[in-house]
Amino acid sequence: GGRNMQYIIATHGRLALGYVDTIRLVTQVEGLHAVCAYMEDSEFPEDMERLLNSFGPGEPVIVFTDLLGGSVTQIMELWAGREQFQVFAGVNLPFVIETILSGSMPSRENMEDMLERSREQMVWVNGLLECV
């Protein structure tokens, strides 16, 4: 059978839970995991390590993090050499949803296109209305 895609959203605080909550509403996707770092009840990065070790060998994993310069992303770089493993930092909700709906590990070209489209989703609405 096909290998299950695994998606991890890892953020400082509870943002990851909010993302997972919203994405489940919109997509009904399986294999979606939230990792909330640096909360009183969290054990980051041990909880991330446990989660990654729970996946089968070669199982494709995409990790989305909140801040490029943040420690959550820096810790993820330790795993970036794994096969079938991609990390995206500073993500917005449209990018995460599009990546998940594609249902597979995006190619290099797809990643660039998806990143470009997600940047276009970030708009100053007042300025947009003035143009009309």
Side-chain angles (χ1 to χ4, degrees):
R3 291 174 170 166
N4 294 334
M5 292 291 300
Q6 300 291 344
Y7 305 98
I8 301 172
I9 299 174
T11 65
H12 298 78
R14 299 194 194 284
L15 181 62
L17 284 173
Y19 262 58
V20 164
D21 207 36
T22 300
I23 291 161
R24 285 197 177 126
L25 257 177
V26 178
T27 69
Q28 284 87 52
V29 69
E30 303 286 311
L32 189 57
H33 313 272
V35 174
C36 301
Y38 309 117
M39 303 296 300
E40 282 174 21
D41 52 357
S42 83
E43 303 177 329
F44 187 81
E46 293 82 359
D47 45 6
M48 175 66 85
E49 204 145 344
R50 271 195 298 275
L51 179 59
L52 288 171
N53 290 334
S54 74
F55 304 146
E59 205 163 3
V61 179
I62 299 180
V63 181
F64 305 98
T65 70
D66 49 359
L67 300 168
L68 175 57
S71 52
V72 174
T73 304
Q74 289 169 354
I75 287 166
M76 292 320 306
E77 290 169 8
L78 301 174
W79 283 285
R82 276 173 68 143
E83 194 192 347
Q84 295 280 12
F85 189 86
Q86 298 294 339
V87 182
F88 294 98
V91 297
N92 61 21
L93 195 59
F95 178 77
V96 178
I97 290 173
E98 182 177 359
T99 305
I100 287 172
L101 288 177
S102 80
S104 61
M105 191 62 79
S107 68
R108 189 173 287 271
E109 296 75 27
N110 284 357
M111 287 184 213
E112 294 298 338
D113 289 346
M114 285 159 49
L115 286 166
E116 196 48 52
R117 280 197 297 279
S118 78
R119 289 183 191 113
E120 290 164 7
Q121 293 287 316
M122 204 162 33
V123 172
W124 177 43
V125 175
N126 300 53
L128 199 66
L129 295 173
E130 288 167 12
C131 295
V132 175

